[in-house]
Amino acid sequence: QVQLVESGGGLVQAGGSRTLSCAASGRTFSDIAMGWFRQAPGREREFVASISSLGYNPSYTDSVKGRFTISSEYAKNTLYLQMNNLEHEDTAVYFCAARTTNLGRYSFTDEGEYPTWGQGTQVTVSS
C-alpha cells in the first residue's frame, strides 16, 4: 500500500515560484508511477503533470508547459513539482497521485488510473 504526503503549498505572488513535494512510502519508489492533479474552487479536478516510475516521459497539461517541471528524486522517494511564473489561474488544491506499475517508461495522465492520492496542498496565487 502506497502512502503519499504532500507539502510545499502556500501563498505566492503572480510571477513567483513554488515547489511542491510528495513523499511516497510503502512500495519501492521505482515501481510507482506518479502524477500531479489540481482542483480549483468550483471546478473539476484536472491533470497537471505526470512521470513514469523510472523517471521517463514527463507529461504536462498545455496550460503549464514551459512553466512547471515534474521530477523524481529516488534517494528521497519524493516527487516534485517546480512551478515557475505562477498565474492567478494556477490557484488550486494540488494533489499527488500514485500507482504501482511494471511499465517503467509509461506516464499515466488519466486520474482514473491512479488508485492512491495524497491529502492535497493549497496553492494560492495573488494577482
Side-chain angles (χ1 to χ4, degrees), residues 93-111:
V93 178
Y94 284 72
F95 299 88
C96 68
R99 63 165 291 149
T100 56
T101 180
N102 58 6
L103 301 175
R105 295 174 182 262
Y106 191 83
S107 179
F108 298 85
T109 62
D110 186 336
E111 68 171 280

Side-chain angles (χ1 to χ4, degrees), residues 7-99:
S7 60
L11 177 65
V12 60
Q13 287 189 328
S17 297
R18 198 83 179 180
T19 300
L20 304 183
S21 301
C22 177
S25 61
R27 290 292 297 264
T28 302
F29 194 61
S30 59
D31 290 338
I32 306 170
M34 301 188 74
W36 287 100
F37 293 77
R38 66 186 180 186
Q39 187 167 20
R43 301 186 65 176
E44 300 273 325
R45 188 161 58 187
E46 65 173 354
F47 168 76
V48 176
S50 63
I51 195 165
S52 80
S53 62
L54 297 181
Y56 293 104
N57 295 321
S59 300
Y60 301 93
T61 192
D62 285 346
S63 64
V64 308
K65 284 180 180 177
R67 300 189 297 122
F68 290 12
T69 302
I70 188 171
S71 62
S72 300
E73 184 171 0
Y74 292 87
K76 295 185 176 181
N77 290 355
T78 300
L79 177 75
Y80 299 101
L81 185 69
Q82 172 67 43
M83 306 183 292
N84 297 327
N85 194 20
L86 282 160
E87 303 170 354
H88 179 68
E89 292 71 26
D90 295 317
T91 295
V93 178
Y94 284 72
F95 299 88
C96 68
R99 63 165 291 149

Side-chain angles (χ1 to χ4, degrees), residues 111-126:
E111 68 171 280
E113 297 175 301
Y114 289 97
T116 302
W117 294 80
Q119 81 282 2
T121 186
Q122 175 73 46
V123 174
T124 301
V125 183
S126 62

